[in-house]
Amino acid sequence: MNPVKVMIVDDEVLAIEHLKRLVSWEALGYEIVCTATRPAQVPELARKHRPDLVLMDIVMPGQDGLALSKTLLAEGTALKIVLLTSYKEFEYAKEAVRLGVASYWVKHEMDADTFSRELGGLREEIVQARRALRSGRDRLLVDWLGGRELSDAGWRTATDGRCEGFDRWQLVVLRPDRPPFLPPGMPAPSPLPAAWPASDDAGLLAALPFLEEYFVLLYGDAGARGEGRLRETAEARASEAAAALERLTGGTVSAASAYGLADRGAVPGRLAEGLRRLGLAVYYGPRQLFRLNEPLPEAAAVSAGHFDWSAGLASVRGMLQEGRYAEAALGLPGLFAQARAAMDIPGLTELCRQLAASIARSRAQLGLSNPAEPQDAAGWTSLTAIEAAFAGRIAALEAAAGAPAGSRKVRAAIAYLERHYADPDIGADAVAAHLGISRDHLRHVFKEETGHTVLDRLTEIRMEQAKRLLADGALKIYEIAERVGYRNGQYFSQVFRKQTGMNPNEYTEKRR
């Protein structure tokens, strides 16, 4: 949690120093960002530092704390104000409450313990108020980015007043590189973080999640810096932001950036273009930077077309069914060339889904279980990588088809066990009948190639599934026993202990 920013205002320097030394501000979650001894300094300092808390003497020459509080609260440059006085003055207290001042503290009553207590209670109020204010600003910005008009006052509110002093706007849109299709069993990519990390870039006006898949960052800039300098700053900011999001999500990130926008009304349109280009990132590969001040090259500059993959896929599917794997692989480049030309994401997604299903059927025919997927989706975030992944799977089919007949039978037996382990009646007889071979022949080839019996392998599969269910913690022991193919919970526990050296309850406790 970011520290609460504090401004201390008192016309006596010694009073300010006393407050600074009275408690450990850092330990209480506070940071003193500025101090002022003259009332005239206060509004400008507040606009610059945007303090969460202002501690202010109520009686000062030139302008008292009540008048200053009214100014700061009207401008929205201070979240909470606490007035300090040497006396308990009822009229001052009433006026402070009317203005919306958070509290009214008597100086000589504020020893270290009391001061710490008051600050501790106030901090939670400030954190909640800051969260509510941020949520309100984000809603304003999201509505504006979606096309709703925003008044000048709304714009100042949405940017927390930090838009002053800028006459140009820069937009950065970030999107983690995600595949258009996730093969079965591959975990979904990490979600976006709820909040952007702290930044020391004074130009950063807003950073917020958008439409679940994107992060939008809005910066202020000054046109006096010149076109070249604006472009350099935009490039650096986009690269730094993409790197920051990569650290948060653990995957690659593409970005779109526009700079030098003199009219803030142009931002939503540039955002829409950024979303469109980032939606096409799979055709270019991960870590793309789309420069929205420049036109898209070649075919991407036009609208996406319709991708009719049915004829090409039917040809590849037929060759897979007939076991002509090398020929099927030769059909992939043509299919993916069509996909690249059309730039039709829904069409590409459906092609990948259908192609994966056809390969899975061929694997089952060869007795192969589903391939182990990588731990993330990084290998499926570019069209080139997707084509290579499917080509590799078809090559694996060809290699498996050329393996000795015994090996194919063993793989088929294991695949059958992995699909039917929950059936309490599964065993060597059922597997042999499924394969169309004798039980003795299956036992012989299985033992010869794996060094284990069919029952040994079935038990291993069941125990691995049981461990997963135990770790999940949603089911009782007897329910897990039934899920993995045991009618008797006690017998399941005995087998589990024999395999792991501990009973199911001990295993669960050890995992915690």
Side-chain angles (χ1 to χ4, degrees):
M1 176 66 70
N2 294 331
V4 171
K5 296 185 294 182
V6 180
M7 171 194 278
I8 302 177
V9 181
D10 198 304
D11 61 316
E12 296 183 12
V13 174
L14 290 178
I16 293 175
E17 292 302 316
H18 170 69
L19 287 179
K20 288 169 69 174
R21 293 193 301 268
L22 189 58
V23 294
S24 173
W25 292 87
E26 183 178 353
L28 291 170
Y30 288 83
E31 177 189 5
I32 298 174
V33 294
C34 61
T35 62
T37 56
R38 290 185 292 112
Q41 300 173 300
V42 173
E44 182 60 32
L45 283 172
R47 284 190 287 269
K48 178 180 178 181
H49 294 281
R50 317 296 296 188
D52 300 306
L53 172 63
V54 177
L55 295 177
M56 183 154 47
D57 189 12
I58 201 169
V59 179
M60 292 181 292
Q63 191 174 25
D64 66 21
L66 287 173
L68 273 176
S69 296
K70 187 175 182 179
T71 299
L72 299 186
L73 291 172
E75 291 186 357
T77 50
L79 195 57
K80 295 282 185 181
I81 298 174
V82 171
L83 294 176
L84 305 174
T85 183
S86 300
Y87 308 98
K88 291 182 178 178
E89 296 168 303
F90 184 64
E91 289 304 317
Y92 274 148
K94 280 200 307 182
E95 181 65 10
V97 170
R98 188 185 69 79
L99 290 174
V101 170
S103 195
Y104 181 88
W105 297 345
V106 179
K107 290 182 181 180
H108 68 262
E109 294 179 354
M110 287 292 118
D111 57 23
D113 289 341
T114 304
F115 199 43
S116 294
R117 242 186 346 265
E118 293 286 355
L119 289 173
L122 194 57
R123 186 179 188 281
E124 184 56 34
E125 291 182 30
I126 291 172
V127 169
Q128 291 179 4
R130 191 163 61 182
R131 189 178 295 126
L133 193 62
R134 171 67 181 271
S135 178
R137 289 199 302 263
D138 286 354
R139 281 196 299 273
L140 275 176
L141 285 169
V142 168
D143 288 346
W144 170 64
L145 291 170
R148 182 177 293 182
E149 291 290 329
L150 192 63
S151 66
D152 289 343
W155 173 243
R156 285 192 294 272
T157 299
T159 58
D160 196 21
R162 287 174 293 134
C163 56
E164 305 295 340
F166 300 119
D167 59 7
R168 294 290 186 276
W169 316 109
Q170 182 201 332
L171 175 73
V172 174
V173 191
L174 304 169
R175 181 177 183 264
D177 295 308
R178 291 177 174 171
F181 162 78
L182 280 179
M186 181 181 288
S190 301
L192 286 180
W196 191 253
S199 171
D200 57 3
D201 189 333
L204 181 60
L205 304 179
L208 62 156
F210 193 75
L211 297 179
E212 298 184 0
E213 294 185 21
Y214 304 87
F215 233 106
V216 176
L217 281 72
L218 184 65
Y219 296 85
D221 225 322
R225 302 173 73 178
E227 175 78 10
R229 184 59 180 151
L230 288 175
R231 183 171 55 250
E232 289 175 15
T233 302
E235 296 270 336
R237 282 171 167 166
S239 297
E240 290 169 7
L245 190 55
E246 286 188 353
R247 289 191 294 271
L248 292 172
T249 61
T252 61
V253 170
S254 289
S257 174
Y259 67 89
L261 305 177
D263 177 9
R264 71 168 188 263
V267 173
R270 292 301 180 98
L271 170 62
E273 176 62 15
L275 300 181
R276 188 181 83 83
R277 295 197 192 185
L278 287 169
L280 300 175
V282 68
Y283 296 100
Y284 298 93
R287 289 198 170 110
Q288 288 296 314
L289 174 57
F290 295 100
R291 297 169 176 85
L292 300 179
N293 292 66
E294 302 170 7
L296 262 179
E298 303 166 1
V302 300
S303 299
H306 175 64
F307 176 27
D308 185 3
W309 42 263
S310 54
L313 179 61
S315 175
V316 171
R317 181 186 287 148
M319 288 182 280
L320 288 173
Q321 290 172 346
E322 295 169 10
R324 295 154 55 198
Y325 304 118
E327 294 175 64
L330 292 176
L332 292 182
L335 262 178
F336 281 91
Q338 284 181 265
R340 188 179 300 278
M343 289 195 167
D344 173 13
I345 292 293
L348 174 62
T349 300
E350 185 59 19
L351 167 67
C352 291
R353 191 182 70 79
Q354 297 272 4
L355 191 54
S358 296
I359 292 174
R361 283 193 292 271
S362 293
R363 291 186 67 85
Q365 290 169 1
L366 291 171
L368 300 172
S369 58
N370 287 330
E373 298 294 349
Q375 291 304 302
D376 56 52
W380 296 79
T381 55
S382 76
L383 197 67
T384 301
I386 293 170
E387 181 182 349
F390 281 123
R393 293 186 174 197
I394 293 177
L397 294 176
E398 186 176 14
S407 296
R408 292 200 299 273
K409 294 296 185 185
V410 169
R411 285 197 299 270
I414 293 173
Y416 188 80
L417 292 173
E418 289 175 342
R419 292 195 300 274
H420 298 279
Y421 66 87
D423 181 356
D425 296 320
I426 191 70
D429 287 338
V431 177
H434 170 71
L435 298 177
I437 61 176
S438 70
R439 181 175 183 272
D440 288 342
H441 181 55
L442 173 62
R443 290 174 61 188
H444 173 73
V445 296
F446 201 96
K447 180 74 171 179
E448 185 175 81
E449 290 197 20
T450 68
H452 300 283
T453 67
V454 174
L455 180 58
D456 289 339
R457 185 71 184 101
L458 175 60
T459 302
E460 289 176 3
I461 294 169
R462 285 172 165 170
M463 292 302 105
E464 287 305 313
Q465 293 298 322
K467 289 176 185 177
R468 182 180 63 80
L469 294 172
L470 285 166
D472 184 58
L475 299 174
K476 296 180 173 60
I477 302 297
Y478 75 88
E479 292 174 320
I480 293 174
E482 291 173 357
R483 291 282 184 96
V484 299
Y486 292 94
R487 292 190 176 93
N488 185 290
Q490 185 176 358
Y491 179 63
F492 160 71
S493 296
Q494 291 172 359
V495 176
F496 192 90
R497 175 182 283 278
K498 184 176 179 181
Q499 293 289 315
T500 65
M502 62 188 83
N503 65 40
N505 285 325
E506 291 170 340
Y507 179 83
T508 303
E509 288 298 323
K510 187 175 180 180
R511 292 277 299 181
R512 287 176 181 170

